[in-house]
Amino acid sequence: MITLPERNNVLIAPSLLSADFARLGQEVKALEEGGADWLHFDVMDGRFVPNISVGIPVLKSLRAITALPIDVHLMIVEPDSMLPAFAKAGADTLTVQAEACTHLHRTLQNIHALGCRAGVALNPHTSIHCLEYVMELVDFVLVMTVNPGFGGQAYIDSCTSKIASLREKYPDLPIEVDGGIKSDTIRRAAAAGANIFVSGSGIFSQPDYSEAIQCLRTECRNA
Ligand code: DX5
Ligand code: ZN
């Protein structure tokens, strides 16, 4: 199982959703050389979110070409039946949306039984209180700072206080943020207490991924 970062350790996780899928292998190599810590892999089913992305065969192909941890974000309804296939295809983390899990406690147990780290994602409208009785099974929380479904959306500023509340309540919890993370917004999320940063368009819109990743790290340090 992968090691999760300590509170003061910052991870940058480029979201492959904004990559050029016709050149995915080269994109991954460029991210590796550019210093990415994790690869964020967005799975969308056209039901939980109004978009469809990639799934198990693509994950399996990526697993074969990279040693970087692959952070799988499942934006799908009823994820339980799909968890074993994603684990087998090479996921290091499996993050489920709290809103998609009727039996979140059981789902988190299932993820651990598959040997993966378990993340819980919260949509912008979802309170942190839903985590209270499952925290012993949560390896990290993913605070969505956009309504999931698409890359390139604007950071929702009201989510910043949610990050701060989580950090206050759980001082050692790894907190990931996803949605609209760029060189300006990352400062707000970092100052509030996030330490794992997903960025899609913020990295892929730049000509040099290494510079883009470095810039995000610097902004975190200055937050
Ligand atoms: C959104 C996805 C994100 C998305 C982020 O539903 O979960 O991971 O790719 O893209 P940006 O960084 O462009 O907002
Ligand atoms: Zn995501």
Side-chain angles (χ1 to χ4, degrees):
M1 264 204 272
I2 59 163
T3 308
L4 289 163
E6 305 271 317
R7 163 71 189 95
N8 290 318
N9 206 345
V10 164
L11 299 189
I12 305 291
S15 164
L16 296 174
L17 191 63
S18 290
D20 178 352
F21 281 95
R23 306 170 44 252
L24 196 51
Q26 290 146 268
E27 295 275 62
V28 166
K29 289 294 158 207
L31 293 170
E32 282 180 350
E33 283 160 21
D37 298 298
W38 286 2
L39 297 173
H40 184 79
F41 188 83
D42 288 299
V43 181
M44 302 176 180
D45 65 352
R47 292 186 63 205
F48 183 74
V49 289
N51 197 5
I52 294 176
S53 60
V54 287
I56 292 149
V58 178
L59 177 60
K60 199 172 163 206
S61 299
L62 284 179
R63 181 72 293 162
I65 62 148
T66 184
L68 283 181
I70 305 182
D71 176 36
V72 175
H73 179 191
L74 295 174
M75 288 161 277
I76 64 176
V77 297
E78 297 164 10
D80 294 74
S81 65
M82 302 306 296
L83 297 174
F86 279 103
K88 189 160 177 248
D92 291 286
T93 73
L94 287 169
T95 296
V96 291
Q97 291 280 157
E99 308 81 9
C101 298
T102 309
H103 304 288
L104 182 59
H105 187 277
R106 180 188 291 147
T107 302
L108 296 172
Q109 285 179 320
N110 290 342
I111 292 172
H112 285 297
L114 291 163
C116 294
R117 293 291 189 180
V120 179
L122 303 178
N123 273 346
H125 75 276
T126 303
S127 163
I128 67 169
H129 298 302
C130 67
L131 298 171
E132 190 166 351
Y133 301 106
V134 293
M135 274 319 278
E136 80 271 15
L137 294 170
V138 174
D139 290 316
F140 62 98
V141 174
L142 170 52
V143 176
M144 289 307 300
T145 43
V146 295
N147 289 297
F150 303 92
Q153 302 183 84
Y155 181 89
I156 299 173
D157 214 21
S158 58
C159 299
T160 308
S161 62
K162 191 194 292 190
I163 300 168
S165 305
L166 262 179
R167 176 55 70 217
E168 195 184 359
K169 208 160 175 207
Y170 306 109
D172 299 323
L173 175 74
I175 301 177
E176 183 173 35
V177 278
D178 183 5
I181 296 294
K182 299 189 179 348
S183 53
D184 51 348
T185 51
I186 198 169
R187 273 183 177 240
R188 289 178 239 164
N195 64 324
I196 306 171
F197 301 90
V198 175
S199 178
S201 52
I203 291 172
F204 285 97
S205 65
Q206 303 297 312
D208 184 330
Y209 300 162
S210 171
E211 253 174 47
I213 291 169
Q214 194 47 50
C215 168
L216 292 174
R217 278 194 213 287
T218 307
E219 292 301 334
C220 273
R221 238 174 271 130
N222 295 337

